Amino acid sequence: MNAVDDTSNLLHEHDQLTPDDIPSLLTIIIETHPGTWTRISDSISFKSVLSSLLIFINAHLALHNNNKVAVIASHTDYAKFIYPPEPVQPTKGSASNSYTNSIPNGNNVNSRVESSNVSNGTNSNMYRQFREVNEAVMKGLEDLMVPLASDISIDTSESFNEHDYYHESKSAIAGALSLALAYTNTSLLTNDDQIGMRARFLILSVCEDLSFQYIPTMNAIFAAQRMKIPIDVCKLSGDTIFLQQASDTTGGIYMKIQHPDGLIQYLLSAFIIDPNLRQHVNLPTQKDVDFRAECFVTKRAVDVAYVCSVCLCIISIIPSSGHCPTCSTKFDSSTLLQLLKKPVVSKKKLKKKKKAITVTPSNGAVVIVDDKINNIPSSIV
Amino acid sequence: MDDSDDDYIEKSSGDEQLVASDGISRRTRNRTTSTKPGANGRSSNQNIDTNLKGANGGYAWEDEYQRSWDLVQEDEGGSLAGILAGLVEARKKRFLKDTTPFQRGIIRNMILVLDMSFAMLEKDLRPNRYALMLSYAIEFVNEFFDQNPVSQLGIIGMRDGLAIPISDVGGNPHAHIAALQSIRKQEPKGSPSLQNALELARGLLYHVPVHCTREVLIIFGALLSSDPGDIHHTVENLVDDKVRVRVIGLAAQVAICKELCMKTNNNDETSYGVILNESHFKELLMEATTPLAATESSTYNMNGSALIQMGFPSKISEIEPTLCACHSELTQGGYICPVCSVKVCNLPTVCPSCNLTLILSTHLARSYHHLFPLKPFKDVSVRDLWKAHNCTGCQKMFPEPETLKTSNGEEEIITMRYACMSCTSQFCIDCDVFCHDVLHNCPGCQAKSSSQIKTFKRLSKVKLNLKRPAPSE
């Protein structure tokens, strides 16, 4: 009996050492920009995306006992952890909002969530881990949306500014990525298990314009690359150059969803694949990556531009003042002149050269012929 | 006349110091005599002598050898917690300096000079100096291109009195690493020649345009240099060409190296370092990956900064492999030059057809954190504890503040929290180090909306007003 136990133990240990068995932390960043979701509501509703997402999260948790998940909402102009929920302490001061007044694992929270989400299929018969995540995600998103509705209707002074955010398709993706990276870093550092842990990000993106946070987003992308965290992007609407670059630099998948109704299938067939299996799988990622940079002045994507040698800002037009728009250093006037003149001068030169080239040999030929002609008759004569 | 050799000043060394550590230093010479610099007739070195004096007033090498494990001492309760907190604090100190945004030479051209002379066979670094230098050099190349993707690097070696090119000046880290791997099996021999190496480096950097930096990094293990001519003349030429030289000495300080560094760096001493041990070697090497701050003289002479035209090609995928323009090899996929539509296989590069600098915009973005560094977080005082109870980054609950006894016997409360000055978010030590070392972003500033930050600041102002009358009473 003992012998049998030993071998099984050995086998088990051996199993644990294989890379396939390393648990992974999946961080999902979901853009919850209400305006954009309303705009694309014809093709896909937030509710259906959410139910697909919850199935996906449960599938991920089911794959390994120690698999973990984190959900971050990238909202209009701020990012917030949805799961794991913020640890809440009852505080004396009135510093935080009413959210703090509820006791963290108290019954009132759960009952409220359960009562509101019975229709979404979360019930007490569900596997506990799944249920906890589902409830927390639903509650977090609800908390995110409810104050918005009241803000719009009641608040007057500050909501004017915030109104812009509803119309422009923006989200705090840099903040969400930064939060995700900090969270991942700590959870990888303080992992209780002796086996290492893997991490990856999934961005469910709907917004188009992310250019206003160019430098922080790029910093976050490089941090992810350094930590070997692939960033997968699931694009439900629009197209974002930076997210393409993010997934390309970090070795993730960028996929534009053609049929949003079948989102669950996309998620479960492409995005569920563990990063260490990806080298064996033919991934449906986008191979042509748009690497154009954005002009700091005109905010347009350009493929040829001028770069300031001091601050490395990208400008597509030479500023008339001769100063860098970002760091306001003076540009060398001679190089500016050269850059400005170049196309005009070279065209003229080319034409002249061509003319010169075509003319001179013909002249020479003519001369020679003339000589010959001159010579020939002279010899004949 | 090898004056570079005779008056070296020993700052550190391997074996001798280890011997001294076994108790000899306790009964060494009288300190009062040895601290007199004039006794040796070397009054000119007075400055250096004062720098070398240890904590006890004697020379550094006369101090008792300190083992790293002797530093850790248990407190009265037999606990190590206080010491550990101190160590963590010390680690944090690293990020508190050097955050003023300087104008830096971002586009760098560097020549790495490796000593391949007999001195590299010494075994004071394990397994020997040569092997350790090569493995650190490989790490350096990776880190260098990670931090400075727009830059160029070339490697040369000093061996048999000659300067041997090891890899050409280029922007591809793999080429340099392959070259370094290939010389791993070579046996270092002969004398090094600083002059030959510097002249070769100067030649390699000759064509570099004004807006780029010209740098030479020398790893120098020997204490001598056998030169064909006058090295002082070479140093003057380097100064004229605005080449900045940084030297890492593996054994001891060498006068000519010091002169070389001082003259080429505007009398800045920090560019010459002599290693204390392996980790210090790595530290000095990695310091060189941060772009140098531009000196006033280098910018003053220029008519203004340069504007460079660059192309940002897009990546394409192909089913059939096609020839690339840069190596004439069959490759699948690559990048298309936006001007002349030629295919190149690697970036950054210069288009072989139209001479346009081709680069990924991500490469440029990677250098931004040198220019816009994240400001250090400050310690949270006890009165601000109410503002948050969990870390903004990792969401973990903050530990209870600890009371520590300082060396003066005063009690000090360590909150173990650090706050960003612009958004007042509080972070734990792990997230603080991570934000400054890897991320270069403040998650609080990025994740909070401006109105959230405003209300936070307003609240803290109210709190301040409440507190202020208290001390005056």
Side-chain angles (χ1 to χ4, degrees):
Chain A
M1 249 336 249
N2 279 338
V4 173
D5 276 353
D6 278 353
T7 48
S8 71
N9 263 340
L10 274 173
L11 279 173
H12 190 64
E13 273 174 26
H14 183 71
D15 276 351
Q16 282 206 329
L17 290 175
T18 56
D20 299 354
D21 237 20
I22 297 172
S24 71
L25 166 71
L26 171 69
T27 309
I28 296 170
I29 295 169
I30 175 163
E31 285 185 329
T32 54
H33 188 272
T36 318
W37 279 106
T38 327
R39 212 179 55 233
I40 61 164
S41 58
D42 292 342
S43 56
I44 187 162
S45 71
F46 188 65
K47 202 176 161 191
S48 66
V49 168
L50 200 57
S51 57
S52 307
L53 191 70
L54 289 179
I55 296 171
F56 177 65
I57 290 171
N58 292 349
H60 173 76
L61 289 176
L63 277 178
H64 194 286
N65 220 6
N66 289 332
N67 271 1
K68 291 199 177 86
V69 74
V71 184
I72 297 169
S74 164
H75 209 54
T76 49
D77 62 341
Y78 65 97
K80 190 170 176 289
F81 264 95
I82 287 182
Y83 183 86
E86 223 174 288
V88 182
Q89 260 184 356
T91 45
K92 282 173 255 167
S94 57
S96 346
N97 53 17
S98 59
Y99 179 47
T100 43
N101 293 335
S102 61
I103 305 151
N105 294 319
N107 291 327
N108 53 347
V109 177
N110 280 344
S111 61
R112 188 179 132 208
V113 171
E114 267 170 33
S115 62
S116 64
N117 293 322
V118 172
S119 55
N120 283 313
T122 50
N123 57 45
S124 51
N125 292 331
M126 218 169 161
Y127 180 50
R128 185 156 170 263
Q129 270 180 307
F130 292 174
R131 188 162 57 94
E132 277 175 2
V133 175
N134 292 2
E135 282 171 6
V137 170
M138 293 303 291
K139 185 187 170 299
L141 288 173
E142 195 185 321
D143 283 352
L144 212 61
M145 297 301 176
V146 169
L148 277 178
S150 60
D151 264 1
I152 297 166
S153 55
I154 300 164
D155 212 326
T156 50
S157 58
E158 283 187 31
S159 65
F160 269 111
N161 291 331
E162 283 177 24
H163 259 303
D164 296 339
Y165 292 113
Y166 302 132
H167 297 304
E168 289 169 31
S169 186
K170 285 176 176 177
S171 81
I173 198 79
L177 277 172
S178 305
L179 281 181
L181 283 162
Y183 179 76
T184 311
N185 176 55
T186 321
S187 33
L188 293 191
L189 275 179
T190 57
N191 190 18
D192 306 331
D193 310 313
Q194 277 160 11
I195 332 153
M197 201 162 180
R198 245 175 247 286
R200 67 190 155 112
F201 292 170
L202 169 67
I203 304 177
L204 265 178
S205 168
V206 287
C207 297
E208 278 155 27
D209 181 27
L210 300 172
S211 52
F212 66 109
Q213 344 155 326
Y214 180 66
I215 293 174
T217 316
M218 281 299 165
N219 281 341
I221 292 170
F222 298 132
Q225 190 191 13
R226 245 178 121 152
M227 292 163 75
K228 297 197 172 62
I229 299 172
I231 300 178
D232 298 339
V233 180
C234 179
K235 199 86 183 118
L236 291 168
S237 82
D239 226 343
T240 315
I241 297 176
F242 298 131
L243 292 182
Q244 282 187 24
Q245 295 178 0
S247 68
D248 182 76
T249 7
T250 54
I253 305 170
Y254 182 90
M255 200 146 91
K256 220 179 150 185
I257 305 297
Q258 305 291 336
H259 308 284
D261 291 333
L263 178 67
I264 184 65
Q265 201 148 354
Y266 287 102
L267 288 174
L268 287 181
S269 56
F271 292 105
I272 197 86
I273 304 167
D274 203 65
N276 55 8
L277 291 175
R278 287 190 180 176
Q279 49 183 325
H280 308 294
V281 184
N282 202 358
L283 289 168
T285 185
Q286 188 166 345
K287 296 224 173 71
D288 295 352
V289 185
D290 193 345
F291 269 115
R292 285 180 302 165
E294 181 179 297
C295 169
F296 281 33
V297 183
T298 58
K299 301 278 172 202
R300 272 180 312 176
V302 285
D303 53 5
V304 180
Y306 305 100
V307 176
C308 168
S309 66
V310 175
C311 65
L312 295 182
C313 72
I314 301 159
I315 37 181
S316 59
I317 39 164
I318 294 175
S320 52
S321 62
H323 288 270
C324 172
T326 316
C327 62
S328 65
T329 36
K330 195 177 170 292
F331 292 127
D332 192 353
S333 50
S334 59
T335 48
L336 281 186
L337 277 177
Q338 221 177 342
L339 286 172
L340 282 170
K341 268 185 179 175
K342 215 176 183 178
V344 186
V345 172
S346 62
K347 268 182 191 170
K348 278 182 182 171
K349 266 187 182 174
L350 272 174
K351 277 178 188 170
K352 273 182 184 172
K353 267 184 188 171
K354 273 179 190 170
K355 275 178 190 170
I357 289 161
T358 47
V359 169
T360 42
S362 65
N363 273 352
V366 167
V367 169
I368 294 162
V369 169
D370 279 351
D371 280 352
K372 278 177 185 170
I373 292 167
N374 285 339
N375 287 339
I376 293 163
S378 69
S379 65
I380 292 169
V381 173
Chain B
M1 176 72 188
D2 53 347
D3 57 345
S4 61
D5 210 18
D6 66 344
D7 63 348
Y8 75 87
I9 293 128
E10 191 177 18
K11 199 171 182 180
S12 71
S13 88
D15 296 342
E16 287 159 44
Q17 199 172 351
L18 280 175
V19 173
S21 71
D22 292 330
I24 298 169
S25 65
R26 282 172 220 171
R27 49 182 171 77
T28 41
R29 288 152 291 159
N30 195 349
R31 267 177 194 139
T32 49
T33 56
S34 61
T35 44
K36 277 183 195 163
N40 294 336
R42 265 199 220 155
S43 48
S44 61
N45 283 343
Q46 210 158 357
N47 277 338
I48 302 160
D49 279 352
T50 46
N51 287 341
L52 286 172
K53 274 173 197 163
N56 298 335
Y59 288 107
W61 61 84
E62 290 183 327
D63 282 346
E64 256 181 71
Y65 186 71
Q66 289 187 321
R67 296 180 192 86
S68 54
W69 55 88
D70 286 341
L71 292 173
V72 183
Q73 276 168 349
E74 294 172 1
D75 56 13
E76 299 99 30
S79 149
L80 290 172
I83 295 294
L84 282 179
L87 288 177
V88 169
E89 285 288 306
R91 188 170 57 138
K92 194 182 145 52
K93 288 271 149 54
R94 255 186 63 212
F95 304 100
L96 292 182
K97 54 188 178 184
D98 192 27
T99 48
T100 12
F102 283 120
Q103 183 177 332
R104 290 175 187 276
I106 292 290
I107 308 170
R108 307 171 73 187
N109 286 65
M110 186 187 260
I111 304 293
L112 177 64
V113 181
L114 302 176
D115 192 344
M116 293 165 76
S117 66
F118 69 93
M120 298 308 283
L121 286 170
E122 288 277 342
K123 291 200 162 100
D124 53 355
L125 304 171
R126 300 286 165 195
N128 63 19
R129 284 184 188 172
Y130 187 68
L132 190 80
M133 175 184 74
L134 285 186
S135 54
Y136 278 0
I138 289 169
E139 282 179 48
F140 171 77
V141 170
N142 275 326
E143 185 72 17
F144 180 80
F145 282 107
D146 197 55
Q147 302 269 325
N148 312 284
V150 211
S151 305
Q152 306 265 314
L153 184 76
I155 307 177
I156 55 184
M158 297 185 288
R159 179 191 164 94
D160 274 340
L162 298 172
I164 317 155
I166 293 171
S167 69
D168 296 334
V169 181
N172 183 6
H174 304 294
H176 297 301
I177 289 168
L180 286 172
Q181 298 281 14
S182 70
I183 60 159
R184 214 177 247 276
K185 282 188 184 130
Q186 288 181 21
E187 189 91 332
K189 66 172 185 191
S191 319
S193 168
L194 271 181
Q195 196 192 6
N196 283 338
L198 288 171
E199 287 291 352
L200 179 59
R202 197 165 73 92
L204 289 172
L205 293 172
Y206 183 73
H207 69 284
V208 170
V210 201
H211 60 262
C212 307
T213 65
R214 301 171 178 189
E215 294 169 55
V216 177
L217 173 65
I218 305 176
I219 301 177
F220 196 51
L223 297 171
L224 62 97
S225 164
S226 84
D227 296 329
D230 185 4
I231 192 167
H232 298 280
H233 191 63
T234 310
V235 174
E236 273 159 31
N237 285 341
L238 288 171
V239 176
D240 287 345
D241 283 359
K242 297 206 180 83
V243 179
R244 298 175 74 169
V245 186
R246 186 185 266 265
V247 181
I248 298 174
L250 300 189
Q253 197 165 359
V254 180
I256 188 65
C257 292
K258 190 166 177 94
E259 191 191 320
L260 174 67
C261 293
M262 298 271 278
K263 281 195 174 160
T264 52
N265 287 293
N266 287 333
N267 293 331
D268 181 18
E269 276 185 33
T270 51
S271 55
Y272 183 32
V274 179
I275 64 159
L276 300 168
N277 48 36
E278 281 94 336
S279 59
H280 188 224
F281 183 13
K282 197 165 180 185
E283 210 173 282
L284 285 176
L285 205 54
M286 290 309 160
E287 245 171 49
T289 57
T290 316
L292 289 170
T295 54
E296 231 169 68
S297 63
S298 66
T299 47
Y300 187 75
N301 292 336
M302 283 199 295
N303 216 347
S305 60
L307 198 60
I308 316 147
Q309 194 170 28
M310 288 187 181
F312 302 97
S314 283
K315 196 178 179 184
I316 51 145
S317 61
E318 296 165 316
I319 302 163
E320 303 289 330
T322 53
L323 287 170
C324 73
C326 41
H327 304 95
S328 298
E329 278 168 11
L330 281 172
T331 47
Q332 226 171 349
Y335 303 90
I336 295 288
C337 171
V339 172
C340 61
S341 299
V342 124
K343 191 183 92 168
V344 293
C345 54
N346 259 318
L347 290 182
T349 185
V350 174
C351 176
S353 152
C354 65
N355 226 8
L356 182 73
T357 314
L358 299 179
I359 197 170
L360 289 182
S361 52
T362 48
H363 284 139
L364 288 180
R366 204 180 281 253
S367 299
Y368 287 143
H369 73 257
H370 294 305
L371 301 165
F372 314 109
L374 180 59
K375 282 185 185 134
F377 294 163
K378 64 167 193 280
D379 291 284
V380 176
S381 64
V382 183
R383 67 164 186 223
D384 286 337
L385 288 182
W386 60 273
K387 277 190 205 162
H389 38 78
N390 61 330
C391 170
T392 315
C394 61
Q395 306 293 305
K396 285 224 164 69
M397 299 286 280
F398 282 123
E400 288 294 308
E402 277 185 38
T403 318
L404 278 188
K405 273 190 181 170
T406 56
S407 50
N408 309 330
E410 287 169 28
E411 283 197 350
E412 196 186 354
I413 298 172
I414 294 183
T415 52
M416 317 273 270
R417 305 182 185 190
Y418 306 93
C420 170
M421 278 176 281
S422 49
C423 67
T424 66
S425 314
Q426 299 184 0
F427 295 92
C428 64
I429 179 81
D430 286 326
C431 287
D432 180 358
V433 171
F434 173 75
C435 289
H436 284 93
D437 204 20
V438 183
L439 184 60
H440 307 292
N441 269 350
C442 168
C445 296
Q446 298 305 325
K448 281 184 186 168
S449 66
S450 46
S451 57
Q452 273 176 328
I453 294 172
K454 256 185 233 162
T455 37
F456 246 110
K457 283 195 168 165
R458 212 181 300 143
L459 278 170
S460 50
K461 260 181 201 164
V462 171
K463 199 79 181 175
L464 278 177
N465 287 338
L466 287 177
K467 284 264 172 184
R468 255 176 207 159
S472 61
E473 274 166 14

